[in-house]
Amino acid sequence: MGSSKQSAGILDTLKMERVRTILTHTYPYPHEHSRHAVIAVVVGCLFFISSDNIHTLVEKLDKNVKWWSMYACLFGFFYFFSSPFIGKTFKPSYSNFSRWYIAWILVAAVYHLPSFQSMGVDMRMNLSLFLTIYLSSILFLLVFHIIFLGLWYIGFVSRVAGKRPEILTILQNCAVLSVACCVFYSHCGNRAMLRERPLDRRNSNWFSFWKKEERNTWLAKFLRMNELKDQVCSSWFAPVGSASDYPLLSKWVIYGEIACNGSCPGSSDEISPIYSLWATFIGLYIANYVVERSTGWALTHPLSVKEYEKLKKKQMKPDFLDMVPWYSGTSADLFKTVFDLLVSVTVFVGRFDMRMMQAAMSRVSDGNHQDDLLYDHFSEKDDFWFDFMADTGDGGNSSYAVARLLAKPFIRTLKDDSELTLPRGNLLIIGGDLAYPNPSAFTYERRLFVPFEYALQPPPWYKAEQIAVNKPEVPFGAQLKQYNGPQCFVIPGNHDWFDGLQTFMRYICHRSWLGGWLMPQKKSYFALQLPKRWWVFGLDLALHGDIDVYQFKFFSELITEKVQDDDSVIIITHEPNWLTDWYWNDVTGKNISHLISDYLRGRCKLRMAGDLHHYMRHSHVKSDGPVHIHHLLVNGCGGAFLHPTHVFSKFNKLDEVSYECKAAYPSFEDSSRCELNHILQDDTFSGHIKSFLGTVWNGFIYILQHSCVSLAGAILLLIAAYSFVPPKLSRKKRAIIGVLHVSAHLAAALILMLLLEIGVEICIQHKLLATSGYHTLYQWYRSVESEHFPDPTGLRARIEQWTFGLYPACIKYLMSAFDVPEVMAVSRNNICQNGLESISRGGAVIYYASVFLYFWVFSTPVVSLVFGSYLYICINWLHLHFDEAFSSLRIANYKSFTRFHINSDGDLEVYTLAVDKVPKEWKLDPDWDGETKHPHELSHLRRFPSKWRAAIAHLDPVHTVKIVDHFVIGRTDKNDCATTAPNGPVQ
């Protein structure tokens, strides 16, 4: 025993576990992730950029306001194109373009402006050198990887950690080392040696700054950053030697230029410091890659397995999708949504209805018909709680915030300064629109099932890909009445019908679990018999806004045969047609109205719906006439973007019965409190406003008189703007609004185009553009290359010969592609001098494409501003476009659901619980992680069923949830029922 303890102590001392993690591949390493190189490049950039003191930078600044105003406009437009709000960037952004596109167009414009050159930074040389080194690095590393893969397949390389590199990682590493070489060249040049420097300086101590006796000297030099920079360039990054020292590389190196006083006879055989730096980075990458892939040992010091798992849990975050960018012009999901909607409207509406198929499948026998549509297993329960929510599956943060509250065993909140405990619902009813923007396997899984499974996990044995054939698949073979876990029933919404209800049937009716909620449901509509003579009718409106004849037949027969005179009924639909009909001045849902007024006759105590993403409750005003519906409730705050409430503030009547708004969330005041934060400042070119506006007007007249394409585009835009105005207004008002809207867009387009032309013309006049041809950058680079990068061995000529001319051709056209302003300026000069007819069709395409690349960037924030201003005016002044205005904002806050309690007296207590602010960051809940989990235990039995909690504890929905509405609906007595006529025949 003693020896074992002693050996254990020795192992602990030697930390053998850490040694084992080095020798064996026990957990994944961050392969080919050159964080060290990135850090080194960033630190080097900051050092070299700050090497000039502030006084020197100020002296070098060009004081011409014209150039700096162009810089401000350029960076401003690019910023608003790619990132609309500081710290609140939407993901994916509205542009939906790669950052490489933004960087390409921005750099191509910036390097032509002269002020950077006045500060000693030549952007042309940096760009051309970057492209050359970048392309060379990619080709070199691709050859290396091909050789390495060949050795891997032969077996000369150990197969510890996989075989194939990530192409994106290769491109990233090549970009990092290219930037490093460019930064070094900008501040240190390509000086290989000082001809007159003494021998002892060549071998000077690199770390002389750090000697204790020279601390004051080091501090003084630190304050004089120029001297420190020069010493770093000459000592720390000195070339490795001459080509004669490395005979094998003598014909493959790039030589540096000689720095000396006066003339320098002869050529230098010293290796270029840029080549040395590049070769060092390439060597580090290869060494890192080979060591990791052949031994499994990373250059970063590995952690123990226990430490790694602990760190992994700490870094774990949910992979939630962002809210749908409804106005993104490049979103494939949105184009699919439009296509599915067109197909659904033209094919399914009036031609094929999935509800007819369900009715046909349910009429096999009467017993099967009841099992498919009527569920009475809740009717004998006591103290019954159930929840209602709708319109989930948009942003992952908001959907999970609601699902986390629904899954919690108890919600404790304040009501009238006293704590109130609300247990989790036995039943969850979802009122449609389960995933946005369209029903697909991706949106259902990622936007609906993922948040709910994080909130309440399905059983461990459940496999999502399996089809539920014999529903309900109750755990452990029990009967549905004996199952005490939470259950879920769902009705489809209009977004669920875009594909003809195919995805809804596959994921809801043919699956058994939504997270930890059991789904016994088999059809898209259902009837639930609840305790104390309460009923829930879940209706499927499809895209018609009404129930079909088979659905009407089922519910009317159910009312006639089973619903008693003193029973109470809750009707749930997706669309709240009492509000939408009032808003659009329309009449829909005639079959539903017939069912409620002529069959239920006063027993409909509550009608609920989603579709509108806010909470509103209207209660009837007591009168002498019959009341068919006592309360109207809308709650579509289950996770989708927010809708306004103030637009519907004047609704007060349904079927000649007066109603009063009892609660709204957000309130009418909060809903209408939208400030336009975009401020236009026009204090540039103040002396040329008159001529500028005159030119814009002339351009507009030219469009009307001469340009057929632009005129056709303007007419189409006018038609679209007129059609976009809601038809509730008169044609005259729609025409006025459409003309004003289109005029704003045309004026903005002409102004932007004129600004772009003025910028190009200024650069042409100052000889910054159109100085030669399309390949100005390449020609300039070749002249600088021959001067500062001597090639005595003819290396470049040999590479050109061996690549059959591809080497200079690729660099030449790559630089031309990065010099879009030059292409635009040269083409513009040709058009101005010789007319549009003088250029070929290909030249015209190149010109229009180059202009379009910049015009798109410039027009995106302006078009967004014009369109946003239009929506702002319409929603606040005219109460139009409530859906379009708020969907563009994608507000994830103000989420809620409604919890019901059937008490011992048979009355229905209604609590609407809401969260004002939805967290954006989540982390692993330590309570969930630390709770013991048994293999066969269902997740609803745990104290902490949800996996994630808010990163900031006091912002967690569990702590911020509040009651925004509470009321009680009394059970039905026989006096509530109308006695005008007995139940009529089924129609």
Side-chain angles (χ1 to χ4, degrees), residues 176-398:
V176 169
L177 65 92
S178 301
V179 169
C181 294
C182 291
V183 171
F184 174 80
Y185 178 78
S186 296
H187 296 274
C188 296
N190 192 36
R191 296 179 179 179
M193 61 177 294
L194 288 174
R195 184 61 61 89
E196 285 83 6
R197 66 184 177 183
L199 184 61
D200 55 348
R201 285 197 59 187
R202 178 178 296 190
N203 299 322
S204 61
N205 194 335
W206 286 13
F207 299 97
S208 61
F209 290 152
W210 305 102
K211 291 183 179 181
K212 185 175 181 180
E213 61 272 15
E214 297 182 5
R215 185 175 302 167
N216 294 332
T217 305
W218 177 84
L219 182 60
K221 289 186 177 181
F222 181 80
L223 295 177
R224 298 191 300 273
M225 296 293 292
N226 275 326
E227 298 180 10
L228 177 61
K229 181 197 72 173
D230 293 339
Q231 188 157 356
V232 169
C233 292
S234 60
S235 299
W236 292 12
F237 291 100
V240 295
S242 64
S244 59
D245 298 331
Y246 306 94
L248 294 177
L249 299 177
S250 59
K251 293 184 178 182
W252 295 99
V253 301
I254 297 177
Y255 292 86
E257 58 182 328
I258 302 174
C260 60
N261 298 324
S263 61
C264 297
S267 61
S268 171
D269 64 345
E270 297 291 325
I271 297 176
S272 165
I274 296 180
Y275 176 82
S276 302
L277 186 63
W278 176 82
T280 301
F281 275 115
I282 291 291
L284 287 175
Y285 173 87
I286 294 175
N288 187 27
Y289 187 87
V290 171
V291 170
E292 287 183 0
R293 291 305 176 102
S294 59
T295 66
W297 180 80
L299 290 181
T300 55
H301 200 58
L303 302 173
S304 66
V305 177
K306 184 181 297 185
E307 292 173 336
Y308 172 77
E309 293 297 333
K310 184 178 180 180
L311 181 63
K312 183 179 177 181
K313 290 179 180 179
K314 187 179 294 185
Q315 294 177 345
M316 286 178 63
K317 293 181 180 180
D319 186 20
F320 289 145
L321 295 179
D322 295 292
M323 302 191 80
V324 176
W326 293 98
Y327 288 88
S328 172
T330 57
S331 173
D333 262 348
L334 297 182
F335 284 112
K336 182 181 184 302
T337 302
V338 174
F339 176 78
D340 288 343
L341 180 59
L342 292 176
V343 172
S344 299
V345 171
T346 57
V347 175
F348 294 106
V349 175
R351 292 172 174 81
F352 174 78
D353 196 331
M354 179 61 74
R355 297 175 300 183
M356 298 172 60
M357 180 73 71
Q358 294 181 84
M361 295 176 63
S362 298
R363 298 184 65 179
V364 178
S365 63
D366 290 339
N368 190 25
H369 175 67
Q370 296 294 329
D371 291 341
D372 284 353
L373 300 174
L374 174 61
Y375 299 87
D376 58 358
H377 56 285
F378 296 116
S379 59
E380 299 177 1
K381 293 184 178 294
D382 296 326
D383 196 34
F384 189 75
W385 293 79
F386 65 100
D387 299 324
F388 171 80
M389 57 95 71
D391 300 276
T392 185
D394 190 354
N397 293 323
S398 53

Side-chain angles (χ1 to χ4, degrees), residues 704-724:
L704 297 179
Q705 293 180 350
H706 301 285
S707 179
C708 299
V709 177
S710 299
L711 180 61
I715 294 175
L716 291 176
L717 184 60
L718 179 60
I719 295 174
Y722 174 83
S723 304
F724 188 66

Side-chain angles (χ1 to χ4, degrees), residues 382-618:
D382 296 326
D383 196 34
F384 189 75
W385 293 79
F386 65 100
D387 299 324
F388 171 80
M389 57 95 71
D391 300 276
T392 185
D394 190 354
N397 293 323
S398 53
S399 298
Y400 176 73
V402 177
R404 174 168 166 78
L405 292 173
L406 292 169
K408 193 164 180 60
F410 294 94
I411 292 179
R412 292 180 174 87
T413 185
L414 295 178
K415 182 181 180 297
D416 300 332
D417 297 330
S418 60
E419 187 176 81
L420 186 66
T421 300
L422 306 178
R424 178 175 52 210
N426 307 95
L427 166 67
L428 170 62
I429 301 174
I430 303 180
D433 277 359
L434 305 182
Y436 294 90
N438 57 71
S440 65
F442 176 80
T443 57
Y444 264 56
E445 290 174 357
R446 294 296 306 276
R447 296 190 181 275
L448 173 66
F449 279 85
V450 166
F452 276 82
E453 288 174 354
Y454 279 146
L456 193 67
Q457 290 77 46
W461 63 84
Y462 174 68
K463 295 181 179 179
E465 63 274 8
Q466 292 183 350
I467 298 177
V469 179
N470 300 314
K471 294 184 71 171
E473 296 180 342
V474 184
F476 311 116
Q479 297 296 320
L480 191 57
K481 285 187 177 182
Q482 300 170 350
Y483 180 68
N484 293 322
Q487 301 179 34
C488 179
F489 285 81
V490 186
I491 62 171
N494 57 305
H495 283 265
D496 303 307
W497 267 95
F498 285 175
D499 67 342
L501 212 65
Q502 297 297 324
T503 307
F504 179 91
M505 297 296 294
R506 184 166 74 252
Y507 279 86
I508 303 300
C509 299
H510 298 155
R511 280 194 181 185
S512 293
W513 296 91
L514 174 61
W517 286 269
L518 176 67
M519 293 192 296
Q521 178 180 346
K522 300 178 183 179
K523 298 293 184 291
S524 63
Y525 55 93
F526 52 83
L528 301 174
Q529 185 175 0
L530 304 183
K532 309 294 182 181
R533 312 185 73 86
W534 281 88
W535 295 77
V536 171
F537 292 173
L539 310 182
D540 179 6
L541 304 184
L543 295 175
H544 303 269
D546 204 354
I547 58 176
D548 61 316
V549 62
Y550 302 102
Q551 202 171 168
F552 181 90
K553 184 176 186 297
F554 165 73
F555 285 108
S556 60
E557 289 179 352
L558 181 65
I559 294 171
T560 303
E561 297 172 3
K562 292 185 176 293
V563 179
Q564 304 299 318
D565 291 341
D566 55 350
D567 287 1
S568 303
V569 178
I570 301 172
I571 287 186
I572 299 178
T573 59
H574 174 65
E575 181 181 352
N577 62 354
W578 60 92
L579 289 180
T580 56
D581 287 353
W582 168 85
Y583 181 84
W584 297 110
N585 193 21
D586 196 4
V587 178
T588 60
K590 295 181 179 179
N591 290 341
I592 300 176
S593 299
H594 179 34
L595 184 71
I596 293 174
S597 59
D598 296 335
Y599 284 85
L600 286 176
R601 301 197 319 273
R603 286 172 287 182
C604 182
K605 307 296 287 187
L606 175 65
R607 185 172 174 190
M608 290 194 300
D611 192 46
L612 297 179
H613 308 159
H614 59 229
Y615 175 78
M616 291 188 74
R617 173 173 67 92
H618 293 83

Side-chain angles (χ1 to χ4, degrees), residues 583-831:
Y583 181 84
W584 297 110
N585 193 21
D586 196 4
V587 178
T588 60
K590 295 181 179 179
N591 290 341
I592 300 176
S593 299
H594 179 34
L595 184 71
I596 293 174
S597 59
D598 296 335
Y599 284 85
L600 286 176
R601 301 197 319 273
R603 286 172 287 182
C604 182
K605 307 296 287 187
L606 175 65
R607 185 172 174 190
M608 290 194 300
D611 192 46
L612 297 179
H613 308 159
H614 59 229
Y615 175 78
M616 291 188 74
R617 173 173 67 92
H618 293 83
S619 299
H620 74 93
V621 178
K622 293 184 178 180
S623 61
D624 296 334
V627 177
H628 302 301
I629 306 174
H630 294 258
H631 300 275
L632 301 169
L633 187 148
V634 180
N635 192 348
C637 301
F641 63 88
L642 183 68
H643 271 145
T645 55
H646 69 278
V647 175
F648 304 95
S649 59
K650 296 182 180 180
F651 167 79
N652 58 8
K653 186 167 288 188
L654 174 65
D655 295 334
E656 305 303 325
V657 177
S658 297
Y659 287 84
E660 180 182 2
C661 183
K662 296 293 186 180
Y665 178 77
S667 65
F668 295 151
E669 293 78 12
D670 291 339
S671 175
S672 59
R673 190 184 302 159
C674 296
E675 298 180 359
L676 192 61
N677 294 322
H678 306 281
I679 301 175
L680 297 177
Q681 298 178 350
D682 194 0
D683 52 3
T684 307
F685 305 109
S686 58
H688 305 281
I689 291 180
K690 184 176 179 179
S691 60
F692 182 82
L693 294 179
T695 307
V696 172
W697 175 254
N698 293 335
F700 179 73
I701 297 300
Y702 181 84
I703 288 176
L704 297 179
Q705 293 180 350
H706 301 285
S707 179
C708 299
V709 177
S710 299
L711 180 61
I715 294 175
L716 291 176
L717 184 60
L718 179 60
I719 295 174
Y722 174 83
S723 304
F724 188 66
V725 180
K728 63 182 296 183
L729 297 181
S730 63
R731 293 183 178 179
K732 182 179 179 180
K733 292 182 179 179
R734 294 177 68 189
I736 293 174
I737 294 175
V739 170
L740 293 176
H741 190 190
V742 170
S743 300
H745 280 290
L746 290 179
L750 289 171
I751 290 172
L752 285 175
M753 195 65 213
L754 185 57
L755 286 175
L756 181 60
E757 291 289 330
I758 289 175
V760 174
E761 182 63 29
I762 291 175
C763 292
I764 292 176
Q765 292 179 1
H766 287 79
K767 306 300 182 182
L768 299 174
L769 289 174
T771 55
S772 56
Y774 290 114
H775 303 291
T776 304
L777 180 62
Y778 176 73
Q779 294 172 4
W780 179 89
Y781 170 71
R782 289 302 297 265
S783 62
V784 175
E785 183 185 47
S786 61
E787 179 181 356
H788 296 281
F789 293 89
D791 184 22
T793 61
L795 175 61
R796 284 190 287 268
R798 291 200 306 274
I799 295 178
E800 181 178 352
Q801 180 181 1
W802 293 342
T803 59
F804 301 100
L806 290 178
Y807 157 67
C810 291
I811 297 295
K812 180 178 180 180
Y813 288 101
L814 184 63
M815 289 185 181
S816 179
F818 267 82
D819 199 7
V820 180
E822 184 72 21
V823 174
M824 184 166 52
V826 172
S827 301
R828 184 178 183 277
N829 267 355
N830 294 335
I831 294 173

